[in-house]
Amino acid sequence: MGLPARPLRRRAAIFSYCAEPELLEGARWLACYLTTGKHMAFYASFGTVLLLLAITAPVALAFGFLGAMSARSHIFPINWLGRTYIAIVRGVPDIAFFLFFVIALDQGFEWLRHQALCPGWDQPIRQGNDFVVCDAAKLPLGTAPQWVHETYGFLLAVLTFAIVFGAFAANVLFGAMRAVPRAQIETAEAYGMSRRQSFWRILVPQMWVYALPGLSNLWMVLIKATPLLFLLGVEDIVYWARELGGTKTPRFTDYPHGDWRMWYFLALLVFYLGFTKVSEVVLGRVMQRLTFGQATAGGEAQRKAAA
Amino acid sequence: MSCWETFADYALRSVGVGERLLPRSDFTLCQQFVLIGSGMIWNVYFGVLALFAGFFLATAVALGKAAQSPWLRKPAEWFIFLFRGSPLFIQFFFAYFLFLSLKQVAPVFTPLTSAWAGALVVLFLNTAAYSGEIFYGALLSVPKGDTEAADAYGFSGWVRFRRIVWPTMLRLAWPAYTNEAIFLFHATTLVYFSGFPAFQQRGDALYYANYFADKTFNPFVPYPILAGYFILLTLLLIALFGLINRRLNRHLPQARRAKMKLRLNLIR
């Protein structure tokens, strides 16, 4: 038994009384337990989730906008591309897309770099069960520090989310663009606006009120899809909840406890319930704002209530 | 090894019949098709049973949410909020660890720690909540004339519900309920990625697709196969639900029949 009974080096604790964990009891023990370094990493991973949402939502919206625009295009290949993009991501379980895109994107990037950086390479890239590219084309480079690997993994996850949710958003925006009354566009044309002008000045400002119910639904779905980050190999809240909740023996930690994973996942459940509730309230307010002055049933109801 | 032999060995692999060991090298296209197809047995099992059982609970939940008494309304509202407001993925994890703890208390709960029972319970409750909300919406839009006519004919209580309200509710809810059914089948792919262990590598279609993708490091074969299977399953569901939709609408003139509008696939 050459191992020390507990780790020799302790992290600096937040509370002064945390210096001797064996002597603590009750609330103080819990306070110290919940402020260990690993728990701080757990709390920070909630930030990872929020960061993912903050980056993915606008990127997916942009993808969706491009998809909807190309599905409306009069040029055949672009139109076909837009429609295929919308159609293909639907009808198949999206978790399959998450698992697929992460490897596919990774291999795609490495293949492109391989073509660019190693022109003299004569071996096949797929050798049996291996995917082999030259060292210079590896992403990230084998010599890169740990944080580069983690950031690269996270960015791949963001891109995957954006592609999948972009297709959903494209579908919603495409429908919203068609929901804008035809008379509005005809009026714009009568005033001599070009196709481009009537699109940007008339259609786009008016479509948001039609798109918002679909987009807010999508936002809810996006929130509920964030735990899938775990499957993409990112150290997110699910990872830490499993890690911290598992049984801990006194030998490896100052705070031994039984299997608490159930409680950690209960906490995650409460977090998501709160998050969706807040989103619901906020989106309801936004809808009120957008409806104001619109020629829809909702706008009419607001006008009557004010009068 | 011919493809027929592979079929004999692996067609029922996901339920533990046939060859014990999964292929480890020299993966053929045939093996991938057969094993992923074999995994579909579990997706169909979870989907069909959860949908069938969930249908009845969903009706009860919808009635509860529409009830006057807060003793019925509040629990139904909370049930719906709990399962619709949180990710299914987290629900699976929480349920799995909950069942593990319960198993320590009483051995009755042991089956619930395996996927075939535990995940089924979660999917059942989840689909009941989503369908309950759909049915509730339909219940509120049952035309006033229908219920007034029922009252005038002296219908009341159970008979009024069974003969008048319920058929109309189903008819109105059916297109949305079809989408829900498709979501549910897609959601069954989450089971083996969320804590529930795949006993002796008996998993669902995505489990095997993932197995092949990990082993061959080539996602471009197994995932399209999986996608093909799911598109087939989705088309089958649409056909089946379309038939029921026709029956529910058979008394209406052609122009007023509810068209099936399909919005496929969002994660829950």
Side-chain angles (χ1 to χ4, degrees):
Chain A
M1 302 292 277
L3 284 169
R6 54 186 146 79
L8 290 175
R9 207 167 60 84
R10 290 217 181 94
R11 277 169 175 275
I14 288 186
F15 301 113
S16 57
Y17 52 76
C18 293
E20 291 293 329
E22 297 83 358
L23 308 176
L24 295 169
E25 269 178 40
R28 284 194 154 196
W29 185 90
L30 201 63
C32 292
Y33 172 67
L34 290 177
T35 49
T36 55
K38 282 200 164 181
H39 272 86
M40 290 303 164
F42 175 51
Y43 304 139
S45 67
F46 283 90
T48 310
V49 170
L50 296 180
L51 186 67
L52 174 85
L53 282 171
I55 301 176
T56 308
V59 176
L61 199 62
F63 274 36
F65 198 81
L66 285 179
M69 260 172 76
S70 55
R72 280 173 56 84
S73 166
H74 283 204
I75 306 162
F76 174 73
I78 299 180
N79 177 304
W80 181 82
L81 208 68
R83 284 178 187 273
T84 316
Y85 174 52
I86 294 177
I88 207 161
V89 184
R90 309 155 83 225
V92 177
D94 14 38
I95 169 181
F97 273 102
F98 286 125
L99 294 176
F100 170 77
F101 271 124
V102 168
I103 312 181
L105 284 174
D106 188 35
Q107 293 188 353
F109 289 148
E110 288 196 342
W111 183 80
L112 283 178
R113 281 168 59 93
H114 179 82
Q115 297 295 327
L117 297 175
C118 311
W121 190 267
D122 53 355
Q123 288 163 313
I125 287 183
R126 287 207 182 280
Q127 298 178 2
N129 291 338
D130 286 322
F131 182 83
V132 185
V133 292
C134 62
D135 283 338
K138 287 230 170 67
L139 257 183
L141 292 172
T143 53
Q146 180 63 23
W147 70 267
V148 175
H149 283 267
E150 281 175 14
T151 312
Y152 178 68
F154 182 74
L155 287 180
L156 270 185
V158 167
L159 196 56
T160 306
F161 266 75
I163 290 173
V164 173
F165 279 88
F168 295 143
N171 189 42
V172 170
L173 293 177
F174 183 61
M177 285 176 187
R178 286 200 300 190
V180 172
R182 177 82 197 121
Q184 298 283 341
I185 306 295
E186 281 169 5
T187 313
E189 280 164 3
Y191 274 93
M193 286 191 192
S194 68
R195 224 179 112 72
R196 174 185 294 254
Q197 280 175 329
S198 65
F199 177 77
W200 286 109
R201 297 188 192 173
I202 307 296
L203 193 70
V204 172
Q206 289 193 50
M207 73 173 192
W208 296 109
V209 70
Y210 300 99
L212 194 67
L215 288 182
S216 39
N217 190 20
L218 208 56
W219 169 252
M220 296 294 187
V221 176
L222 182 60
I223 293 177
K224 286 188 261 168
T226 50
L228 298 181
L229 264 183
F230 170 67
L231 295 180
L232 311 186
V234 176
E235 292 188 1
D236 74 330
I237 47 182
V238 177
Y239 170 86
W240 281 112
R242 275 164 56 112
E243 192 74 12
L244 293 170
T247 308
K248 298 278 188 302
T249 55
R251 186 148 163 191
F252 296 108
T253 170
D254 294 333
Y255 302 94
H257 61 72
D259 188 351
W260 284 1
R261 284 177 293 188
M262 183 178 115
W263 303 111
Y264 278 89
F265 278 100
L266 186 66
L268 293 193
L269 211 63
V270 171
F271 165 71
Y272 276 107
L273 285 175
F275 200 2
T276 44
K277 193 81 200 168
V278 170
S279 302
E280 237 172 54
V281 172
V282 171
L283 288 168
R285 296 241 170 102
V286 174
M287 189 66 196
Q288 288 250 311
R289 274 296 281 279
L290 280 184
T291 314
F292 185 76
Q294 288 281 347
T296 57
E300 187 66 12
Q302 275 188 4
R303 195 183 61 77
K304 281 197 180 132
Chain B
M1 200 157 73
S2 76
C3 192
W4 177 246
E5 284 170 48
T6 308
F7 184 81
D9 282 347
Y10 288 120
L12 293 174
R13 174 62 180 78
S14 65
V15 285
V17 179
E19 181 65 36
R20 172 81 177 79
L21 289 174
L22 292 183
R24 300 200 167 268
S25 57
D26 303 325
F27 304 93
T28 62
L29 207 56
C30 177
Q31 284 173 336
Q32 308 204 11
F33 263 105
V34 172
L35 255 180
I36 295 173
S38 163
M40 288 301 286
I41 295 174
W42 281 113
N43 295 103
V44 172
Y45 162 85
F46 285 124
V48 168
L49 287 188
L51 202 64
F52 179 76
F55 177 80
F56 296 100
L57 183 60
T59 312
V61 167
L63 284 176
K65 193 172 175 183
Q68 293 287 324
S69 157
W71 291 101
L72 289 173
R73 201 177 62 235
K74 285 289 163 200
E77 278 174 357
W78 273 98
F79 175 74
I80 290 178
F81 174 63
L82 185 68
F83 280 95
R84 290 187 72 217
S86 59
L88 179 64
F89 199 53
I90 302 286
Q91 289 167 22
F92 273 133
F93 269 117
F94 173 67
Y96 176 62
F97 294 126
L98 176 72
F99 293 147
L100 274 187
S101 318
L102 286 177
K103 185 180 159 186
Q104 307 286 324
V105 181
V108 189
F109 294 105
T110 310
L112 286 177
T113 53
S114 48
W116 67 268
L120 187 62
V121 169
V122 179
L123 282 168
F124 156 64
L125 294 174
N126 189 282
T127 186
Y130 276 85
S131 328
E133 181 70 19
I134 293 171
F135 287 165
Y136 168 72
L139 204 59
L140 291 191
S141 32
V142 170
K144 215 168 97 186
D146 286 21
T147 45
E148 280 172 359
D151 291 339
Y153 274 98
F155 280 96
S156 67
W158 169 248
V159 182
R160 178 174 178 267
F161 173 72
R162 171 68 189 80
R163 295 273 169 194
I164 311 294
V165 177
W166 194 59
T168 310
M169 179 193 92
L170 279 188
R171 180 171 67 81
L172 294 175
W174 207 255
Y177 188 61
T178 308
N179 287 327
E180 160 59 24
I182 295 168
F183 290 176
L184 178 71
F185 274 92
H186 289 179
T188 55
T189 50
L190 279 174
V191 170
Y192 290 100
F193 288 85
S194 57
F196 286 102
F199 175 65
Q200 291 182 344
Q201 293 184 313
R202 298 175 194 173
D204 75 331
L206 188 62
Y207 176 84
Y208 289 125
N210 189 242
Y211 173 82
F212 284 118
D214 280 355
K215 289 278 183 233
T216 61
F217 206 55
N218 179 3
F220 297 98
V221 177
Y223 289 121
I225 293 176
L226 175 83
Y229 276 120
F230 264 93
I231 289 169
L232 273 182
L233 184 66
T234 307
L235 291 177
L236 202 71
L237 267 178
I238 291 173
L240 203 70
F241 274 69
L243 283 180
I244 302 176
N245 189 49
R246 266 225 332 246
R247 189 178 157 75
L248 287 170
N249 281 290
R250 71 190 185 285
H251 60 289
L252 291 177
Q254 202 73 35
R256 278 183 53 204
R257 290 191 181 173
K259 289 269 160 47
M260 299 285 282
K261 246 182 90 182
L262 291 163
R263 295 190 344 266
L264 297 183
N265 195 32
L266 293 175
I267 315 164
R268 42 186 67 210

